């Protein structure tokens, strides 16, 4: 048990429940860590997944989430419909090494915020045992800066979403009115830790750096452009911007009919063209019809 779970304030929601005695936070979880999949993943950015089909990013998908986006692609685990398996610090450390042995280029921690103390302990154990691959902190971006500071020296690559510029939109779709403030302050700390990108000898695989993801939502082009503008004007090409078109309406959302369709090519191209127009060079785009279920893995406890 970790004291941080006793009066939980790990994320900006600060629900203050005692997760160590079985109380459930807004994230949907107690202090017991659950994960639903640990496997090689080919659908991350090319510098994380690589081009070798036998390898990939070593993703560990954790159950629960501090965001609660109405359109979540991984809804079954973020909302705990599928819980996965409980993992201890020792088991989580072993999973990291198993992924390394399978050929993972990195250990990609997906939705880790609400389990940060346990994950931090497992990373420390793995580094003490000599793990050789970098750790990726793959987060929705709704973070507390002081918690990100706790990861300094442990995380090699930060992979945050930057979902919204307008807090009215973040309130509507994710139930948080302070998303921009929290995400921008946390990103400052991530960049402070990993500002200078580093790659392996081939120049293909990232070893250290920051990649900021933005998923373009249907009917949300204006806000997407504001996000891209903010990131580029603030950090220039010291961070990579990944503009994604893979939004998939995995279930009907009655209150938001505008989200019950895929993104159009025109919408996505408009955001990408804008990024090019303002000078973005270090970026990733998705080609063609990537809004397929292949981006949404099965959560059947593989590798857990």
């Amino acid at each position: 048990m970790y004291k941080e779970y006793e009066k939980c304030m790990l994320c900006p929601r600060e629900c203050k429940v005692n997760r160590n005695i079985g109380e459930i936070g807004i994230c949907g979880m107690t202090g017991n860590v659950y994960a639903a999949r640990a496997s090689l993943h080919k659908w991350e950015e090319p510098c994380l997944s690589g081009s070798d089909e036998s390898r990939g990013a070593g993703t560990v998908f954790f159950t629960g989430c501090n965001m609660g986006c109405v359109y979540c692609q991984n809804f079954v685990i973020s909302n705990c419909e599928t819980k996965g398996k409980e993992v201890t610090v020792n088991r989580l450390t072993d999973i990291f090494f198993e992924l390394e042995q399978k050929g993972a280029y990195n250990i990609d921690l997906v939705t880790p915020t609400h389990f940060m103390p346990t994950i931090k302990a497992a990373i420390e154990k793995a580094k003490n045992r000599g793990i050789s691959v970098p750790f990726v902190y793959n987060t929705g971006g709704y973070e507390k800066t002081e918690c990100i500071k706790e990861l300094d020296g442990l995380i090699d690559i930060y992979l945050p979403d930057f979902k919204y510029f307008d807090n009215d939109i973040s309130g509507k779709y994710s139930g948080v009115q302070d998303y921009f403030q929290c995400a921008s302050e946390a990103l400052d700390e991530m960049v402070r830790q990993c500002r200078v990108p580093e790659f392996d000898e081939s120049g293909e695989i990232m070893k250290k750096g920051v990649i900021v993801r933005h998923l373009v939502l249907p009917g949300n082009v204006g806000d997407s452009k504001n996000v891209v503008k903010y990131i580029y004007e603030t950090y220039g090409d010291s961070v990579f911007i990944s503009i994604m078109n893979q939004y998939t309406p995995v279930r009907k959302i009655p209150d938001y009919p505008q989200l019950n369709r895929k993104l159009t090519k025109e919408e996505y191209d408009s955001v990408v063209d804008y990024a090019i127009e303002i000078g973005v060079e270090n970026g990733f785009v998705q080609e063609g019809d990537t809004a397929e279920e292949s981006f949404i893995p099965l959560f059947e406890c593989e590798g857990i």
Side-chain angles (χ1 to χ4, degrees):
M1 291 186 180
Y2 295 89
K3 60 180 176 57
E4 292 92 339
Y5 298 139
E6 289 180 3
K7 188 179 180 182
C8 191
M9 298 178 67
L10 286 170
C11 85
R13 291 187 183 273
E14 296 186 342
C15 60
K16 300 179 183 178
V17 303
N18 189 342
R19 294 168 59 195
N20 276 338
I21 62 171
E23 293 180 2
I24 296 174
I26 290 175
C27 60
M29 302 303 295
T30 68
N32 298 325
V33 177
Y34 280 78
R37 183 183 178 92
S39 65
L40 299 183
H41 196 62
K42 292 302 300 180
W43 301 294
E44 304 290 49
E45 283 70 15
C47 64
L48 300 178
S49 291
S51 57
D52 185 337
E53 289 300 318
S54 68
R55 303 183 67 183
T59 49
V60 183
F61 288 87
F62 294 97
T63 309
C65 182
N66 69 324
M67 284 289 292
C69 305
V70 297
Y71 53 83
C72 181
Q73 314 288 276
N74 295 335
F75 184 83
V76 294
I77 59 169
S78 66
N79 282 267
C80 308
E81 290 184 359
T82 296
K83 202 167 184 180
K85 289 183 180 179
E86 184 177 354
V87 291
T88 63
V89 170
N90 288 337
R91 176 59 193 140
L92 189 54
T93 305
D94 288 342
I95 288 171
F96 297 161
F97 280 98
E98 288 164 12
L99 289 169
E100 181 186 37
Q101 290 164 6
K102 290 176 182 177
Y105 289 110
N106 47 64
I107 305 300
D108 185 359
L109 306 162
V110 185
T111 321
T113 304
H114 51 300
F115 293 132
M116 188 272 284
T118 311
I119 292 170
K120 178 184 173 185
I123 295 173
E124 290 171 339
K125 281 181 174 289
K127 286 183 178 284
N128 287 336
R129 285 171 50 184
I131 198 164
S132 64
V133 294
F135 282 87
V136 181
Y137 206 73
N138 185 339
T139 164
Y142 193 53
E143 303 285 340
K144 291 178 69 172
T145 305
E146 52 264 45
C147 291
I148 298 300
K149 287 180 178 178
E150 291 291 316
L151 299 168
D152 194 0
L154 296 176
I155 296 300
D156 306 284
I157 299 167
Y158 282 101
L159 183 62
D161 290 338
F162 206 112
K163 296 178 182 290
Y164 315 103
F165 186 85
D166 188 326
N167 281 329
D168 288 337
I169 299 174
S170 68
K172 179 168 64 174
Y173 290 157
S174 297
V176 290
Q177 292 288 347
D178 57 348
Y179 181 87
F180 177 83
Q181 178 184 352
C182 293
S184 57
E185 290 176 358
L187 180 57
D188 270 344
E189 175 59 21
M190 295 174 188
V191 174
R192 185 194 69 79
Q193 293 178 23
C194 300
R195 176 178 290 274
V196 181
E198 297 177 9
F199 290 80
D200 68 359
E201 293 180 356
S202 71
E204 178 187 13
I205 302 300
M206 181 176 276
K207 308 297 284 186
K208 185 175 183 179
V210 179
I211 304 171
V212 184
R213 285 177 165 173
H214 177 71
L215 176 66
V216 184
L217 297 174
N220 215 44
V221 166
D223 198 62
S224 291
K225 290 180 178 179
N226 284 334
V227 167
V228 171
K229 180 181 180 182
Y230 171 78
I231 296 168
Y232 186 66
E233 287 186 346
T234 306
Y235 303 107
D237 286 316
S238 63
V239 307
F240 287 73
I241 303 176
S242 181
I243 304 173
M244 302 185 296
N245 73 345
Q246 68 191 56
Y247 175 77
T248 304
V250 294
R251 60 192 180 89
K252 290 292 182 183
I253 311 172
D255 292 339
Y256 304 104
Q258 66 272 27
L259 296 178
N260 293 327
R261 65 170 175 86
K262 294 181 181 180
L263 190 72
T264 67
K265 182 178 185 299
E266 290 73 22
E267 287 173 315
Y268 183 68
D269 286 350
S270 177
V271 177
V272 172
D273 290 346
Y274 177 75
I276 295 170
E277 177 185 322
I278 65 174
V280 175
E281 293 185 0
N282 285 346
F284 300 99
V285 297
Q286 293 180 325
E287 300 291 342
D289 186 12
T290 56
E292 301 290 344
E293 291 183 2
S294 60
F295 278 88
I296 306 170
L298 296 174
F299 299 111
E300 298 177 340
C301 296
E302 178 184 345
I304 303 298

